[in-house]
Amino acid sequence: MFFVTGWRSALLINVTRLCKSASSEDTIFALSSGQGRCGVAVVRVSGPASVDALRSMAGLTRRLPAPRTALLRRLLHPHSKELLDRGLVLWFPGPHSFTGEDSVEFHIHGGPAVINGILQALGSLPRLRPAEAGEFTRRAFHAGKLDLTEVEGMGDLIHAETEAQRRQALRQMAGDLGQLYNDWSLQLKQSLAHVEAFIDFSEGDLIEDGVLYEVDVAVSQLRVEVEKHLSDERKGERLRSGVQVVIAGSTNVGKSSLFNILCQRPAAIVSPVAGTTRDVVETPLDIGGFPVLLSDTAGLRDTCDCVEREGVHRARQTVEQADLTLVVIDTAQLPQDLLMVPGLLSRYLKMVLPNRKDEQCLLVLNKRDLLPKSHIAVIQRVLQQNPGLPPLSILSCHNKEGLEDFLTLLQDRIKTLCGDPLASSPSLTQTRHRTHLQKCVDALAQYYQYRDTDLALAAEGLRSGLTSLGRITGKVGAEEILDVIFRDFCIGK
Amino acid sequence: MFDMSLARRLLVRQHFLSDCFVRAASNAARLKYDVVVVGGGHAGTEAAAAAARTGAETLLITQKIQTIGALSCNPSLGGVGKGQLVREVDALDGLMGRAGDRAGIHFSILNRSKGPAVWGPRAQIDRGCYREFIQSELLNMPRLTVIEGSVEDLLLSAADPEQPGKHKVTGVRMANGGGEILSGSIILTTGTFLSGSLFMGQTTSPGGRMGDPPSCAGLSHCLREVLGLKVGRLRTGTPPRLVKDTVDFSLTELHLPDSKPVPFSFVNKHTQCKPEEQLPCHLTYTTPGVDKVVRESLNVNSHIHQDTRGPRYCPSIESRVLRFPGRQHQVWLEPEGLTSDLVYPQGLSMTMPPELQLRLLREIPALRRVEIRMAGYGVQYDFVCPTQLFPWLQMKNVQGLFLAGQINGTTGYEEAAAQGLWAGVNAGRIALSLPPMSLSRTESYIGVLIDDLVGRGVTEPYRMFTSRAEFRTALRPDNADLRLTPRGFEEVGCVSWQRYQEAVRVSRGLGEALSALQSITLSSFQWREKLGHFSISETKSTLISGKEVLQYKDVSFDLLASAFPDILSPYLEFSERLKIEAVYQPHCEKQRQEMERMRKEESLALPQDIDYFSLPVSLSDEVREILDRARPSTLGAATRLPGITPAAIIHLLRFVTKVGVTTGEAAYMQVRGPKPDCWRGASVHERDREKATVVQS
């Protein structure tokens, strides 16, 4: 009996070892602490190459630190050997780590430049890539490291994380850069569809001659473009880090006045004419030590003026991408019957923020100087009894009354957002993009390597290139490829 | 050995038809079977044969024994994507591949120049011969009974509360007072016969195939009204059959078959047809006159005006002309058999009135004097939305009821056969109280096919393309035996000992050969000396293994074997396969991680009775709706649903059960560890060694 058990367990160990060596996954990394100016940032690495990352970044050529013990090291860029930071490193050999895999933590100074430097350095190491949403958790789950009640909490965490990433991505996508990535993805999808059509249908169907030559040209152009994009140091591109705060509301409620007060200079034109602001006006600010990108937007109204209509459209886009929206309303326009005020405010919020989430907005009732003080006090009392509304502030941009309270409220909110461990770091997003673009370029090279000998392997190159791009711009599925095929070719067999 | 048995079968061919009636009559008394298969098309025949192979007493009910194994539409088998399915069906010991080898009269590997992963084994088939082979196989199969008859209704009882589902089948009621036949596992493979209607010109008649009586309305009523299944409607069509003597082949392009026909089946070394006996195909093109007739026919062509979805890739000549006007379209003139006097015009499926069909055909120079034997027609039919199925092709709602083939919204013989086989295997297993099994997307096209069907459903008749398989480079036609045969024998129980032995012999041979290649290491200079000129990089300073050298374009295994005869010549029979393995291994290696992730997630089963709307986790209403509609069986299937977020997946982790009762896959993983090893030659060898150590200890 004992013999049998021994035999079984020996086999089991053998099998487990096989599983383990076979499932040698990528090594992933991510910033695990919040963005913004925090004192210490934590970057976490998990996977079989963690130990290599630790050795090369912390210059530990001979001995590794004792497991789970902090060690102060100079952190160097693995290639340029440039000093990135001095920080603590911790080594968690698997299975005694969060994910069950070999893991490393870097506790570094919290400035964006330092974080960015460390993340870029990790991204330059072989077999390391930025983590996808939820990836640490999934690994932990598969390793049996999470109990099921923890899973639920993790789900919420990842929801917030992906939500933050979505906003982050939207922001980047709205610009020229997003347009560029989308164009690339479209081109590559087209090329892949044409190769797939050639593979699945060319025998027995009239696939136009030269389909592959067109693909050759398109892919080579694409490869050159992406490579150029990657080699460009992207100096001109503003690092849009910090909290995106947007001022929005109807026309003539004092949005630009509020904007100017926060900038402490007349950055936006203010006039009594409705529809003065027509474009999005942005300025970087430091509020309570946190980096903020503040935007003033056109007043939301239906209009026949095409320039203003575009302004309204941009305003809506900006709001959609914002971390925090300051919804401004004119106090003097509130109804006389105070019981109707909460309902009106709810409708107003819905108009400005169709997908409102309370933690993402502050309500600003401007022009309190136009009403008697007693009336304001009554309004305040009514609104306090209405828990359905987001935090609000009643102020006057004209005589600065209530402004101090508002600034405190705003600062608290920004602090929460920055300290929020869920908000994605822009530098990580950038690192992720670079990684995927580089993978795309490598994959496209495979197309040429096999173009003449094995079209299946060549197409594989385009496929994985598209998958990499898809991680930035959104996934392209097999059905979409088939749609292009049937749109572009008459398949009749 | 095989040839001898074939010869014996040929001798008895004249007799077996009468023979089968005897069988049918003598067995009608038996009223209870483990598995009952309704329908004798490609799905039904594979289902019946597979169920019988698993060990279940099986009954096949068909309207006419004569039409068992009929090729209702095109006289051909395989092709790009479809050829892979034929090879996989064969690797699991199905009938289709061997039938193709027996009845093929024109073999060619499509995509020869495009890489072995997308090679498409294809053959023109002699219809009569194919039918005879399938019939003789089925009628001589142990544990399988075939009867003629029509099923009128399903017998139902209260569901087993231990299992998911609202209903439970207990048997079938035969039409015309044919009595009841009891069975706990029933496979419906009714093809286009479920509320089928035929269209030609402006006339419509009930039926699923011209010349055959329509199926009973009772079955359709039972599925829709009693079981409450979601049903949709699709359409398809077939071209007119032409009299061969009236075709002027001198005005067409001649297309010859491969001079060395490659068999579909892994157990056949040769095809029945000798290379020189093969028939050619001919290619011609439509003319502007064809476009004109199509436009004129529109007001008398009711099929074309229907909204029902037809396939985008196999459109009628009407839809092709309407969608891409002013173009020349290809028309393949295919032989219908060695001795047949008919020609099949591939690409000219049409539903206009017969007189217009003739006018249209005669607009093509080679068909100027053509005569039609049977006019083309359209078919519209009901299909059961396949998202209502488990990955083992059993209805989620009805215990014991399996569906396979066109009834699930697919098109094509190969797609039908693949589903039939897998439904048969599972119906047999359930009847024998074994857990059902599913095939992964990472191991087979059959897995891709079924996962697409049950995961996403269909909006047009579903056909296999290689582009649907994300792991196409691993799922090649050449290695289907290594991927599926061992599992088919060891776990599924649908593969014969002989076939298994052969697969083991091949995988061992490949493994040894690859190790031998790996063991030969020379410098690039030495390689050039050995092999003469080839484009190996001069600057490479490290030693290069024979396996690496074999990856080079100009290097064949035969060339290497001539340089190292002692080490390599024992493996010359695997020459082509070794070359493919060597080239593809590094790429499969790259995909392995992704495959493992997918397999891991497919091994996590989601309970089927889960109420997504009341789950106490934060999922958006949208996500809940998607999950409720699709009811994914595994976490892997959920991941592939459009609109499902990473956060939703993490939330679902809470509800998964790790060792699926539902997926044999999961149990497999536990015992075996990750599986891709089984089709990479070297690792197969390792696995054998692992087994050997087990035996020793």
Side-chain angles (χ1 to χ4, degrees), chain A residues 7 138 151-152 156 196 198-200 202-206 450 454-455 460 463 479 483 486 493, chain B residues 111 114 312-313 323 328 330 465-466 468-469 472 553 584 587 591 596 601 618 650 654 697:
Chain A
W7 172 83
R138 274 209 221 189
V151 167
E152 190 175 350
D156 292 334
E196 294 291 1
F198 193 71
I199 287 176
D200 271 336
S202 71
E203 305 244 357
D205 269 302
L206 284 175
Y450 290 103
D454 191 317
L455 207 56
E460 205 54 48
R463 276 196 196 200
E479 280 302 318
D483 285 343
F486 294 123
K493 199 157 161 86
Chain B
N111 276 349
K114 291 177 201 155
R312 284 180 296 181
Y313 37 76
R323 276 188 54 213
Q328 274 198 334
Q330 283 184 322
F465 306 114
T466 65
R468 296 195 194 268
R472 173 166 75 185
K553 193 179 154 208
Y584 274 76
H587 298 278
Q591 289 193 326
E596 259 161 36
E601 280 167 359
S618 54
I650 298 291
R654 201 182 153 181
S697 45

Side-chain angles (χ1 to χ4, degrees), chain A residues 427-441:
Chain A
S427 49
L428 183 62
T429 309
Q430 278 193 337
T431 315
R432 187 182 287 125
H433 287 186
R434 288 187 77 83
T435 308
H436 293 316
L437 289 175
Q438 188 57 52
K439 277 191 171 175
C440 176
V441 171

Side-chain angles (χ1 to χ4, degrees), chain A residues 3 7 11-12 14-15 18-19 21-26 129 133-134 137-139 141-144 146 148-149 151-156 158-160 162 192 196 198-206 208 446 449-450 452-457 459-460 463 471 475 477-479 481-483 485-493, chain B residues 80-81 109-118 122 285 312-315 320 323-324 327-330 332 334 346-347 456 460 463 465-473 553 583-584 587 590-594 596-597 600-601 604 616-618 639-640 646-647 649-651 653-654 656 658 670-674 690 693-694 697:
Chain A
F3 175 74
W7 172 83
L11 180 66
L12 207 70
N14 202 7
V15 169
L18 270 176
C19 292
S21 68
S23 69
S24 60
E25 296 202 58
D26 278 354
R129 64 168 172 82
T137 312
R138 274 209 221 189
R139 290 188 178 194
F141 179 81
H142 284 305
L146 285 181
L148 287 174
T149 45
V151 167
E152 190 175 350
M154 283 296 174
D156 292 334
I158 286 152
H159 176 67
T162 43
L192 175 60
E196 294 291 1
F198 193 71
I199 287 176
D200 271 336
F201 303 104
S202 71
E203 305 244 357
D205 269 302
L206 284 175
E208 287 79 348
Q446 187 181 326
Q449 191 190 343
Y450 290 103
D452 296 320
T453 52
D454 191 317
L455 207 56
L457 291 178
E460 205 54 48
R463 276 196 196 200
R471 294 203 193 270
K475 199 179 150 215
E479 280 302 318
I481 302 292
L482 287 172
D483 285 343
I485 295 180
F486 294 123
R487 188 192 68 209
D488 289 1
F489 301 105
C490 173
I491 308 294
K493 199 157 161 86
Chain B
V80 181
I109 302 272
L110 304 187
N111 276 349
R112 246 312 172 192
S113 61
K114 291 177 201 155
V118 295
R122 184 180 185 279
Y285 298 91
R312 284 180 296 181
Y313 37 76
C314 190
R320 296 173 86 182
R323 276 188 54 213
F324 296 93
R327 290 206 200 171
Q328 274 198 334
H329 301 283
Q330 283 184 322
W332 287 93
E334 302 179 347
Q346 176 84 267
R456 271 195 288 219
E460 63 179 329
R463 182 189 143 175
F465 306 114
T466 65
S467 52
R468 296 195 194 268
E470 51 274 76
F471 302 116
R472 173 166 75 185
T473 45
K553 193 179 154 208
V583 173
Y584 274 76
H587 298 278
K590 268 197 244 165
Q591 289 193 326
R592 198 171 69 171
Q593 198 183 97
E594 180 60 17
E596 259 161 36
R597 192 189 58 75
K600 230 187 245 172
E601 280 167 359
L604 299 175
V617 291
S618 54
T639 314
R640 284 190 290 281
I649 293 299
I650 298 291
H651 278 307
L653 278 178
R654 201 182 153 181
V656 301
K658 240 178 176 173
Q670 294 228 321
V671 186
R672 251 301 142 59
E690 182 193 318
T693 39
V694 172
S697 45

Side-chain angles (χ1 to χ4, degrees), chain A residues 24 40 46 54 65 87 107 139 144 168 306 311 358 409 458 471:
Chain A
S24 60
V40 174
S46 174
L54 177 61
H107 295 219
R139 290 188 178 194
Q168 184 79 47
C306 66
D358 282 347
L409 185 66
R471 294 203 193 270

